[in-house]
Amino acid sequence: MSGFGWSFYGFFIAAAAFLVTFSLWAYWMNEKR
Amino acid sequence: MNWTYIIVVVAYLAAMAAVAFRGHRRSASEEEFLTASRSIGPWIGGATLAATQISAGTFVGTLGQHYWTGVGFIWAWFGMWGGWFLCAAFVAPKLQESGALTIPDYIGRRYNSVIARVISALLIVFAYTILLSAQYQAAGEVFRATFGLSPIFPMLLILVSTVLYTLVGGVRTGSYIDMLQTLAMILGLAVGVPLLIYEAGGLQTAGQFLAQLDSRLVGSYYTPGQLVAFGLAFGLSISTSPYELARFYSMRDAKTARYAVGVSIFFQFLIGSAIMILGLMMRVIFPHLTSPDQASAVMAFEVLPPLAGALFLVAIFSAVMSTCSSILIVAGSGLAHDVYGNWLAPKLGWRHDNRFLVLLNRVAVVAVGLLPLYLALHKFEIVQFIVLEAAKFIASMFFAAVVFGLNWRGATAQGAIGGMLSGFLVTWIWSKPFGWNSSLPPFLAQIDSAEVGVVVSSLVFFAVSRMTAVRKQYEYASKG
């Protein structure tokens, strides 16, 4: 039995990716004009 | 009861009072009371959005969900954040720029209709009375389960302190206190997580134990589609519900509103992942609790040492109070600003200057706060169920009128009124605790009331808007 797998560790990676993408999008929207 | 709990709770109340005192400015105008004169920045704004969303349901219900079904449920947050992204893209900036004070205010101005304004205000008061009673009830339950105290004590504690700071300082004080409460939630969780991982024998041992108990606990209990659909439905309804949306009015500008959504997602991530770890570790330490909802109370009072348990208790208080405070402002202002100030008073020639309306907003906060106490003490349904029912009503009534109204020029007042009322009616008919769900044919009854509500209200909204818009053109043409 190996314990926690992709669904545990993957969440943190995916959430970090989501936050970075959201921030870039918000920055782009806010600064484009 | 251990003295540590009392000392920590008193210290927390004192910190809140200090923040309220420092942040307090004399609210001479409704603009200051209801929108903090549009001065809130992205960090406090984001904390406010997160604190309003995170409620007793997260600390009791979501923690229990992870206890029961394991890791997989965490992925529902992505659906939720998808809802928040749509809000940041299509709703928040436009609403911030609309210059309204309340959601019915926006609806009234957007559709140039007093009737739409008053109907939306009354529907808000109805749905939020139910939601508020659920929050009181949740706080009462935690106390009853752990201290054996009558639920009236914690309910009154929350009611009195929340009503007090909301009515004294309005949205400005409420926002500063939301920041404090977000930090209190994060502190409570940050202390609890390492202690619980330690109690469970470390992350790896815990993972191996859970995998042996049931392999779905470390993999996925639900399918990815189920999780994202659930999260998105909840995310859309929460990120477009009036008590969150009203917060955008208090922000400096549209840019701040976008950044605040990002900050709020960051706080939700911290809180959500901590809640998951606590739920999982509780399953390792107590694998066989009779109800998953017990996990958080058992953790606070049997697993954690008193100081950490007390901090967790304060975190739950924070979650409940911040949600209640936002609801009080939104429902109270619906009555004072919209029903009285913009309809009754001008119609009947009663007093409605700014000073008087600020006073009336304060009175309305007290009235709206007291109303649900009766419901909460009579315990009609379990907490999570009531929260869901209220969310379904809100989504069905306001989604079309607000979201499509912001993004579609062809929307008319009649369309908005039709959409709101049909959303309310259909959700009522479909509702299990209130309506006639059991008399519907099975293939209809099994569809969720929010899905039916949002679809029907959107259809009515579009159809009536098209019809009335066409008629207007016709009238115009025939006059010309």
Side-chain angles (χ1 to χ4, degrees):
Chain A
M1 284 297 158
S2 60
F4 293 118
W6 63 267
S7 78
F8 183 81
Y9 297 107
F11 168 75
F12 293 94
I13 297 166
F18 186 95
L19 271 169
V20 170
T21 316
F22 185 95
S23 310
L24 288 175
W25 169 82
Y27 182 77
W28 175 73
M29 285 297 284
N30 283 353
E31 305 303 324
K32 71 177 176 181
R33 269 167 287 180
Chain B
M1 198 195 295
N2 191 312
W3 275 99
T4 317
Y5 293 109
I6 297 170
I7 293 168
V8 170
V9 170
V10 169
Y12 167 71
L13 292 175
M16 268 186 4
V19 170
F21 185 70
R22 274 195 68 91
H24 177 59
R25 295 192 193 163
R26 276 195 60 193
S27 309
S29 70
E30 272 199 300
E31 177 126 14
E32 166 63 25
F33 188 78
L34 295 177
T35 70
S37 304
R38 311 191 196 267
S39 62
I40 301 292
W43 283 94
I44 299 219
T48 289
L49 296 176
T52 302
Q53 175 183 338
I54 306 286
S55 71
T58 321
F59 275 80
V60 179
T62 311
L63 199 149
Q65 185 67 247
H66 284 295
Y67 173 89
W68 198 243
T69 64
V71 175
F73 192 72
I74 195 78
W75 290 85
W77 284 98
F78 284 99
M80 187 90 85
W81 299 337
W84 274 110
F85 166 72
L86 293 175
C87 175
F90 299 107
V91 180
K94 289 182 179 176
L95 210 54
Q96 198 287 331
E97 285 169 340
S98 77
L101 288 181
T102 64
I103 296 301
D105 199 21
Y106 163 73
I107 290 180
R109 289 189 197 189
R110 162 68 181 81
Y111 299 107
N112 194 18
S113 159
V114 180
I115 304 175
R117 178 196 286 267
V118 171
I119 289 176
S120 61
L122 293 176
L123 291 179
I124 283 178
V125 174
F126 161 78
Y128 283 149
T129 303
I130 305 177
L131 191 55
L132 212 48
S133 80
Q135 297 297 323
Y136 292 167
Q137 201 174 307
E141 278 301 295
V142 171
F143 260 69
R144 197 190 52 76
T146 48
F147 296 122
L149 282 176
S150 153
I152 188 83
F153 290 112
M155 281 182 195
L156 282 178
L157 180 67
I158 283 180
L159 176 77
V160 171
S161 48
T162 313
V163 163
L164 211 59
Y165 76 71
T166 311
L167 92 95
V168 167
V171 163
R172 180 184 300 279
T173 307
S175 301
Y176 295 151
I177 289 183
D178 277 346
M179 185 74 189
L180 174 80
Q181 288 168 335
T182 304
L183 296 177
M185 288 190 248
I186 292 172
L187 176 70
L189 294 167
V191 170
V193 165
L195 287 171
L196 233 70
I197 292 180
Y198 175 77
E199 281 288 324
L203 210 54
Q204 198 150 9
T205 318
Q208 283 162 354
F209 176 85
L210 290 174
Q212 258 169 357
L213 194 65
D214 182 343
S215 63
R216 289 177 302 176
L217 292 175
V218 294
S220 66
Y221 194 90
Y222 302 100
T223 68
Q226 273 178 321
L227 286 172
V228 171
F230 169 77
L232 191 65
F234 195 65
L236 268 179
S237 67
I238 197 132
S239 65
T240 54
S241 60
Y243 70 149
E244 292 281 7
L245 291 181
R247 293 296 172 153
F248 291 117
Y249 294 140
S250 67
M251 294 178 195
R252 267 179 228 143
D253 49 25
K255 291 180 180 184
T256 307
R258 267 188 216 105
Y259 283 141
V261 172
V263 170
S264 137
I265 294 176
F266 172 67
F267 283 134
Q268 293 174 41
F269 161 71
L270 290 182
I271 294 169
S273 36
I275 291 278
M276 164 184 74
I277 294 175
L278 294 180
L280 295 172
M281 298 305 123
M282 274 307 289
R283 188 69 188 266
V284 177
I285 302 165
F286 286 94
H288 304 295
L289 292 178
T290 46
S291 149
D293 278 355
Q294 290 178 330
S296 88
V298 171
M299 181 186 90
F301 300 99
E302 289 182 33
V303 183
L304 292 175
L307 183 62
L311 288 174
F312 187 76
L313 186 75
V314 162
I316 297 183
F317 264 148
S318 298
V320 175
M321 285 180 176
S322 49
T323 305
C324 288
S325 167
S326 293
I327 299 174
L328 288 173
I329 286 269
V330 164
S333 65
L335 287 178
H337 177 81
D338 295 295
V339 174
Y340 181 83
N342 277 282
W343 178 53
L344 277 180
K347 205 175 152 88
L348 301 171
W350 290 345
R351 188 178 166 188
H352 60 291
D353 55 287
N354 232 323
R355 254 179 91 95
F356 185 69
L357 284 181
V358 172
L359 174 71
L360 210 62
N361 269 289
R362 295 190 158 123
V363 174
V365 162
V366 179
V368 172
L370 285 175
L371 204 65
L373 196 61
Y374 171 82
L375 288 178
L377 285 172
H378 284 74
K379 266 191 81 172
F380 291 113
E381 271 295 343
I382 58 166
V383 174
Q384 194 75 40
F385 209 60
I386 309 175
V387 173
L388 270 176
E389 280 305 308
K392 287 171 184 178
F393 271 107
I394 289 157
S396 308
M397 297 183 302
F398 293 108
F399 187 80
V402 174
V403 179
F404 298 136
L406 281 167
N407 294 287
W408 182 47
R409 281 163 179 268
T412 67
Q414 293 87 338
I417 294 169
M420 288 189 291
L421 288 180
S422 60
F424 170 76
L425 269 178
V426 169
T427 313
W428 187 283
I429 292 170
W430 244 259
S431 160
K432 280 186 186 121
F434 300 118
W436 292 278
N437 187 286
S438 51
S439 348
L440 292 169
F443 73 100
L444 286 176
Q446 66 182 356
I447 311 175
D448 191 81
S449 64
E451 288 165 14
V452 186
V454 170
V455 169
V456 170
S457 78
S458 302
L459 287 177
V460 170
F461 176 81
F462 281 113
V464 176
S465 287
R466 288 306 285 213
M467 270 155 45
T468 44
V470 168
R471 190 188 298 159
K472 249 187 204 149
Q473 275 172 0
Y474 176 74
E475 279 167 10
Y476 182 73
S478 60
K479 266 183 210 158

